[in-house]
Amino acid sequence: MHRWLDTPALALFPTVGVIACGLLFLAVRRRRPLAPFLCGMAMFAAAFATLAVSFYPYMVPYSITIAQAVAPRSSLAFMFWGAGVFILPLTLIYTLVIYFVFKGKVDTGVEYED
């Protein structure tokens, strides 16, 4: 509670959520096609941001800080070079190859008989 009283700018996140909720109500009443989805995303983001700023700098509330939760440098380097530089590009290349191999092979206009 002290963090919220010391830094009133943190009230920006819940305010954004309340405004998005009001806009959601208006968008549904006016039957706007995309606005309810965007308002729902804004409400979720505002709620998550409010939670994140409320517990900052803790990862596990009031027991483990961000600095204590960080993995050792060797583990982070292994993940960067192993997964980030090698596995991720390989997965993306495989996905693109499979996409282009099978693109256009299925005819969705065909009706099946029972």
Side-chain angles (χ1 to χ4, degrees):
M1 189 66 177
H2 296 291
R3 180 175 297 141
W4 286 89
L5 295 174
D6 293 342
T7 314
L10 295 179
L12 174 72
F13 297 109
T15 305
V16 168
V18 169
I19 291 170
C21 188
L23 291 174
L24 174 68
F25 178 73
L26 288 174
V28 168
R29 285 188 59 109
R30 294 181 182 168
R31 297 183 185 266
R32 303 280 185 212
L34 183 61
F37 174 70
L38 296 175
C39 290
M41 285 189 348
M43 286 188 315
F44 178 80
F48 188 77
T50 301
L51 183 68
V53 234
S54 294
F55 288 124
Y56 183 78
Y58 294 100
M59 292 299 287
V60 176
Y62 311 116
S63 62
I64 297 179
T65 64
I66 293 172
Q68 293 169 337
V70 172
R73 186 167 178 79
S74 59
S75 298
L76 295 175
F78 175 77
M79 288 299 293
F80 173 76
W81 292 107
V85 175
F86 180 69
I87 299 296
L88 181 64
L90 188 65
T91 304
L92 290 174
I93 291 169
Y94 172 78
T95 303
L96 286 172
V97 167
I98 294 302
Y99 172 76
F100 286 112
V101 164
F102 290 106
K103 183 173 88 171
K105 303 286 188 207
V106 177
D107 184 13
T108 58
V110 176
E111 294 191 25
Y112 296 101
E113 296 178 20
D114 287 291

